[in-house]
Amino acid sequence: MSARHLAEAVRSGARSARSVLDEHLDAIAAREPEIHAFNVVLADEARVAADEVDRRVAAGEDPGPLAGVPVAVKDNMCTRGIPTTCSSRILEGWIPPYDATVVERLAAAGAVMVGKTNLDEFAMGSSTENSAFGATRNPLDTTKVPGGSSGGSAAAVAAGFVPLSLGSDTGGSIRQPAALCGVVGVKPTYGAVSRYGLVAFASSLDQIGPFARTVSDAALLLEVVNGHDPLDSTSIPETPADLTSVLDRGVEGMRIGIIEELSGDVLEGIAGDVRARLGEAAAALEAAGATVETTSVPSTVYGLSAYYVIAPAEASSNLARYDGVRFGLRVDAPTSGDMHTATRTVGFGDEVKRRIMLGTYALSAGYYDAYYGKSQKVRTLIVDDFARAYGRYDLLLSPTSPTTAFDLGEKTADPMTMYLTDVCTIPSNLAGHPSMSVPFGVGDDGMPVGVQVLAPAMGEPAMFRAAAVLEAAAPPGAAS
Amino acid sequence: MTERITRQDVAHVADLAQLSLTDDELDAFTIQLADILDHAADLDALDLADLQPTAHPLPLVNVFRADVVGPTSDRDEVLAAAPAVEDAQFKVPPVLGEGP
């Protein structure tokens, strides 16, 4: 059942939030041991929250648009009194003294948080295999990865553990796992959703967004969490546009461009079945009245290289705070300097160390211009190219991921191969633009394919309208 | 493949980043970082001379709030998260090497 219908049933008194919760806790109990979507399931806290929703309904109050809807939150968002680990040993034992703004907004909307989901350590990865607490598995085929870094949030929705979850997306960490698990995943415009209480990875790229099984549910969740927050200085002050009320407006008259560089022969590795589904998606939009043509956005192919300098550079600075002094792990040593080094060496996993060193190198004397400076100029090039494209098109289209879900262990030995899975999603982060993945049929292996809809800054309404058209026209999804 | 980053470079950045690496880790990270920087070399083909760098997707401005006292974090709650505390302060090992 959709989140929208669950909330309607709870608000009207037709169903109790407690019965909705128990049903979802049963689903978790049945399959969580093989999926490992969660770092922690908060059954007791969730029962208290659900009973409170029921009490309010009984008292004639309205608990809000997500009344009694079970939600899961990626474990890099702070939860007061509940451990927040980022799936890293270095935050072992840390209990945040405050809630992230999104967590407060979920509670204020009547949602019931049932758990914190697994991720690649500090959101660095594309398969959720970099978690210090073990990998998450794809609910549609447990020999496959769920994608990453928000793999736990994607898997929790795909497995039916929750109808809604939140992830964070720095280079594709919501959209890529959404594609691989066959659910809807949205990276909103940079600044649309408050980052207050989101543990920082790369601050100029990070953005929180929703996972859902339907486009309409994703819009509902985004409307709950977006909007200005004085606690985030990068939060957009304008009132966000309505999304749920425009979903059925279609794409008649819209101009949509398929990004040639991310969809065809320019890049190696965009699989034939993914290209075939993209072509069918384009035809569906055309049938619904849009003008669809292939267009060139040349610099998008350079996004990956620029990203793997910029994101590690920002990470190397953000992760300097983990030094064993104020929170989390401390490995004792005779001097402070040795204590910092011992703590960081034991506390961080290999991928995090790799990115910290890469970023430190790119920012170090003698290499700054060659790597960081150059990558920032490429970022300008990408922003300019998108601006030109959006002069001619309302929306752009590409695959979300070059392939369907890959096998566990398939790419862990070679970081560069893993990074290449983000090639289609990274450009939107560099430009600060919204984009979303919509399930569109399956590949030759029967696993889901996602189509990515890209929009200019604040272009969420048109993006969601196109997503709704794609959802309605999509071939059957993967059988779970 | 050109030598984009040497073993000595990796040892140096590990030191700057306060990470201690074994010899095997140093070997593996050198190969992997060189591989990533090699991929980034595709940017060398671009003419970027006339472009300004972009550090951030939004035109950032300073944000001020009204100068009014609001709720703040509770000191004891914040200190409770620290590995070691003494007299309401974070406690660390000696900074300059001499033991207590």
Side-chain angles (χ1 to χ4, degrees), chain A residues 57-113:
Chain A
V57 172
E61 298 169 34
D62 180 4
L66 294 180
V69 177
V71 296
V73 174
K74 188 177 182 179
D75 200 16
N76 61 349
M77 299 175 204
C78 291
T79 41
R80 186 185 178 99
I82 295 163
T84 296
T85 69
C86 293
S87 289
S88 178
R89 285 202 60 199
I90 209 152
L91 278 172
E92 216 165 67
W94 183 55
I95 297 176
Y98 64 100
D99 276 325
T101 295
V102 291
V103 170
E104 281 186 349
R105 289 191 180 178
L106 286 175
V112 173
M113 185 170 69

Side-chain angles (χ1 to χ4, degrees), chain A residues 81-439:
Chain A
I82 295 163
T84 296
T85 69
C86 293
S87 289
S88 178
R89 285 202 60 199
I90 209 152
L91 278 172
E92 216 165 67
W94 183 55
I95 297 176
Y98 64 100
D99 276 325
T101 295
V102 291
V103 170
E104 281 186 349
R105 289 191 180 178
L106 286 175
V112 173
M113 185 170 69
V114 299
K116 306 286 298 283
T117 59
N118 196 14
L119 62 148
D120 285 298
E121 185 177 1
F122 282 101
M124 297 178 190
S126 309
S127 68
T128 317
E129 292 167 291
N130 293 332
S131 166
F133 309 130
T136 297
R137 289 164 184 270
N138 193 313
L140 302 170
D141 178 346
T142 54
T143 68
K144 308 275 189 188
V145 301
S149 67
S150 313
S153 289
V157 170
F161 296 164
V162 283
L164 299 174
S165 65
L166 287 178
S168 65
D169 189 313
T170 305
S173 283
I174 291 173
R175 292 158 288 160
Q176 185 257 19
L180 270 47
C181 289
V183 299
V184 177
V186 184
K187 186 205 91 73
T189 301
Y190 183 88
V193 179
S194 170
R195 292 183 295 113
Y196 180 74
L198 170 68
V199 177
F201 159 16
S203 307
S204 81
L205 304 163
D206 298 340
Q207 187 59 198
I208 293 172
F211 287 96
R213 284 193 291 275
T214 66
V215 171
S216 159
D217 275 0
L220 178 67
L221 177 53
L222 182 52
E223 284 180 342
V224 165
V225 294
N226 71 5
H228 184 245
D229 178 14
L231 297 175
D232 174 0
S233 65
T234 61
S235 173
I236 296 170
E238 284 80 23
T239 305
D242 204 73
L243 300 173
T244 46
S245 67
V246 302
L247 286 177
D248 59 358
R249 290 196 190 164
V251 293
E252 178 89 52
M254 275 194 201
R255 301 156 304 159
I256 299 173
I258 304 169
I259 304 177
E260 185 182 1
E261 285 78 8
L262 302 180
S263 309
D265 302 319
V266 178
L267 280 177
E268 285 174 40
I270 309 287
D273 50 1
V274 172
R275 289 163 66 165
R277 293 303 88 74
L278 180 70
E280 292 155 21
L285 291 166
E286 206 155 28
T291 310
V292 185
E293 56 191 35
T294 300
T295 189
S296 176
V297 192
S299 61
T300 49
V301 289
Y302 298 105
L304 188 83
S305 287
Y307 175 86
Y308 276 101
V309 172
I310 291 170
E314 294 189 22
S316 71
S317 171
N318 274 327
L319 273 63
R321 74 190 62 173
Y322 303 100
D323 57 7
V325 174
R326 289 159 299 155
F327 37 68
L329 181 73
R330 172 182 292 189
V331 176
D332 280 317
T335 68
S336 269
D338 289 348
M339 183 275 284
H340 299 322
T341 301
T343 299
R344 291 164 63 81
T345 299
V346 170
F348 290 136
D350 281 352
E351 183 60 31
V352 173
K353 288 176 182 171
R354 196 150 38 233
R355 298 210 197 182
I356 289 173
M357 289 193 288
L358 186 60
T360 304
Y361 182 69
L363 292 173
S364 64
Y367 300 99
Y368 185 97
D369 288 339
Y371 290 110
Y372 188 61
K374 185 178 289 177
S375 297
Q376 286 190 309
K377 289 185 174 183
V378 173
R379 195 169 182 182
T380 305
L381 200 60
I382 291 168
V383 169
D384 291 350
D385 267 5
F386 269 129
R388 265 189 292 278
Y390 287 124
R392 284 175 287 134
Y393 301 100
D394 300 299
L395 298 170
L396 296 170
L397 213 58
S398 83
T400 305
S401 164
T403 66
T404 56
F406 43 94
D407 291 341
L408 282 148
E410 187 180 329
K411 296 181 194 285
T412 43
D414 181 359
M416 200 61 229
T417 315
M418 187 72 86
Y419 296 173
L420 286 166
T421 66
D422 297 331
V423 68
C424 299
T425 47
I426 280 171
S428 297
N429 297 81
L430 289 171
H433 292 167
S435 52
M436 66 191 287
S437 183
V438 186

